[in-house]
Amino acid sequence: MKIGIFGGTFNPPHLGHLAAARAAIEALELDKLLIVPAAVPPHKELPQGTPAPEHRLTMAEKMADALLMPGTAEVSTIELERPGKSYTADTLAALREQYPDAQMWLLMGTDMFATFYQWHDPSSILAQAGICAFGRSERDDKALFATLAEELEETLPEAKITVIPLPELVEISSTELRELLAKGEGGDYLLPAIYGYILMNGLYSTHADLKRLDIPELRACSYSMVMQKRVRHIRGTEEEAVRLARRWGADEEMARRAGILHDCTKYLTGVEHIAICERYGVPLDQLEREAPKLLHSKTGACMARYIFGEPDEVYEAIFWHTTAKADMTTLEKILYVADYMEPNRTFEGVERLRELAYQDLDRALLLGVETTVQEMKDRNLPVHKNTLQAQAWLRDHGVTTEG
Ligand code: ATP
């Protein structure tokens, strides 16, 4: 088993870290990548205003999640949980007990590689792991690494060194990024989910007004609340909703914002959903209490209205996007249908839904509703009364899916 160990303060993790992690997984053919946030880095002080360790841990977890390799990329809390300075030698000794037969590689950028000989107990580090070094900027070329490797081998001949190229160089450090964030800049150097997390928690002196976010910031906040694997669907829904709004004369900006936020509470627990509904006075019926999966539309609507200051139209569109209901507005229909047939959806019959959506929105809505009713019946699950009312209302108004 080959394990990569990527230590750092990750304060915050940025796209440079992510590019290095991706490249190392591929170049070393790693079976596992452990991202290891340091509690107290040996070589530098944590700067003032550093978020609590829980925040750094969550951001590191978002970085691991962004690699979309569950089981391969994960965060280790081994240093955050160990009191005192976070010496790599101690970390490797502990990991060796956990993975006695693993081949371990320590990942490090140029700055760390250049100063490795000064680290605490380098010999015991090298007895456990090889070094995988990579550049951080255009200046870090082959010649520089050859010199650094030569110097290191002179002092520590047992060193096993691999230098890997980074296909994408992201020339940024967390220090520079913290300065940018405090000035309201820097979002482009961060994974959106991490940028959103920073904005929502006001980290690094960002002070964003969540009720006045622009579109990239709103996306970032939404993505910060979900798993990375859901982001494609959310983006697909946003784009489909905007196209449908253009086709049916609805407000494109509202369609976009509803699309961005529609699934933002998808990963909350049942207890969390119910707590939000209680806080904002959203009544729940028996079925919703028993099947909290139905609740993400209601709690997503609450987030849209109360956290992000979205207008009633956006609130309502998100509120009804799972069950639908009788007599829906155009925007409500658009979000419901967009969510059903956005480009990443692949179920049988989706092509017909896509065609209908641009010919007759009501017929597309009815087809979506009837597909859900059928699916619930096939799975022996109860159908929500609002869905049945939507179906009845459309049929009463002469809408049909035939022909
Ligand atoms: P700071 O500015 O706070 O010192 P940093 O950006 O150097 O932070 P660290 O968390 O200290 O980030 O770095 C962890 C590891 O990631 C180190 O091995 C470092 O060399 C590497 N690294 C940091 N930034 C980049 C980057 N832009 N590209 C590639 N590797 C990087």
Side-chain angles (χ1 to χ4, degrees), residues 9-10 14 17 44 109 111 134 136 170 172-175 178:
T9 38
F10 302 115
H14 50 63
H17 296 130
K44 53 186 170 192
D111 51 329
F134 39 81
R136 292 181 56 156
V170 187
I172 190 74
S173 69
S174 296
T175 305
R178 289 192 296 272

Side-chain angles (χ1 to χ4, degrees), residues 173-192:
S173 69
S174 296
T175 305
E176 292 163 327
L177 189 49
R178 289 192 296 272
E179 282 164 18
L180 290 173
L181 286 167
K183 291 190 281 180
E185 299 166 23
D188 292 348
Y189 289 107
L190 288 159
L191 185 75

Side-chain angles (χ1 to χ4, degrees), residues 260-308:
I260 291 171
L261 292 173
H262 81 286
D263 267 354
C264 70
T265 54
K266 190 82 183 180
Y267 291 91
L268 297 189
T269 61
V271 172
E272 289 168 323
H273 282 301
I274 289 171
I276 293 180
C277 290
E278 279 170 2
R279 180 175 338 144
Y280 296 115
V282 176
L284 298 179
D285 58 39
Q286 194 53 32
L287 183 54
E288 288 163 338
R289 283 185 185 276
E290 284 162 12
K293 278 202 160 197
L294 281 174
L295 290 182
H296 80 280
S297 46
K298 303 198 160 178
T299 51
C302 290
M303 292 296 287
R305 174 185 272 168
Y306 300 108
I307 305 297
F308 298 112

Side-chain angles (χ1 to χ4, degrees), residues 349 352-353 356 362-372 401:
R352 178 153 146 70
L353 186 57
L356 269 186
D362 282 333
R363 289 182 68 197
L365 175 63
L366 182 58
L367 183 57
V369 165
E370 292 194 337
T371 307
T372 299
T401 56

Side-chain angles (χ1 to χ4, degrees), residues 311-324:
D312 292 349
E313 292 90 330
V314 171
Y315 174 89
E316 297 290 340
I318 297 176
F319 197 93
W320 299 112
H321 88 267
T322 306
T323 59

Side-chain angles (χ1 to χ4, degrees), residues 4-228:
I5 296 136
F6 194 13
T9 38
F10 302 115
N11 186 23
H14 50 63
L15 294 183
H17 296 130
L18 201 64
R22 275 206 186 99
I25 290 174
E26 205 179 304
L28 298 173
E29 298 181 347
L30 295 178
D31 301 296
K32 193 176 268 305
L33 174 76
L34 292 178
I35 297 169
V36 190
V40 186
H43 56 287
K44 53 186 170 192
E45 293 290 308
L46 283 173
Q48 257 208 334
T50 291
E54 299 77 57
H55 285 310
R56 279 198 298 125
L57 174 60
T58 305
M59 290 189 283
E61 282 168 348
K62 292 189 182 301
M63 170 174 152
D65 180 41
L67 292 162
L68 288 171
M69 298 174 116
T72 300
E74 55 189 66
V75 175
S76 165
T77 52
I78 193 165
E79 293 191 356
L80 288 177
E81 283 163 8
R82 199 171 61 222
K85 291 212 177 221
S86 305
Y87 291 120
T88 303
D90 299 340
T91 301
L92 287 180
L95 289 175
R96 177 55 72 204
E97 279 186 21
Q98 222 177 318
Y99 303 101
D101 303 319
Q103 190 188 114
M104 299 203 279
W105 287 93
L106 205 53
L107 277 47
M108 62 183 80
T110 335
D111 51 329
M112 294 292 134
F113 187 48
T115 53
F116 179 76
Y117 65 95
Q118 298 171 333
W119 287 23
H120 173 70
D121 204 356
S123 296
S124 95
I125 295 178
L126 294 172
Q128 298 297 348
I131 294 181
C132 168
F134 39 81
R136 292 181 56 156
S137 79
E138 292 293 347
R139 279 160 295 143
D140 305 342
D141 57 9
K142 268 192 179 163
L144 173 73
F145 275 105
T147 317
L148 291 176
E150 219 171 276
E151 282 169 9
L152 188 61
E153 278 159 352
E154 265 172 36
T155 27
L156 296 159
E158 70 273 37
K160 185 171 75 175
I161 301 166
T162 293
V163 177
I164 62 164
L166 293 196
E168 13 157 10
L169 277 175
V170 187
E171 299 206 20
I172 190 74
S173 69
S174 296
T175 305
E176 292 163 327
L177 189 49
R178 289 192 296 272
E179 282 164 18
L180 290 173
L181 286 167
K183 291 190 281 180
E185 299 166 23
D188 292 348
Y189 289 107
L190 288 159
L191 185 75
I194 294 181
Y195 184 41
Y197 185 83
I198 290 171
L199 295 180
M200 290 193 68
N201 290 283
L203 307 182
Y204 305 111
S205 311
T206 43
H207 305 302
D209 179 352
L210 297 182
K211 293 197 163 62
R212 280 190 182 70
L213 297 179
D214 63 20
I215 292 294
E217 290 166 341
L218 192 69
R219 280 193 196 115
C221 289
S222 165
Y223 303 169
S224 77
M225 290 184 269
V226 299
M227 302 293 285
Q228 185 70 21

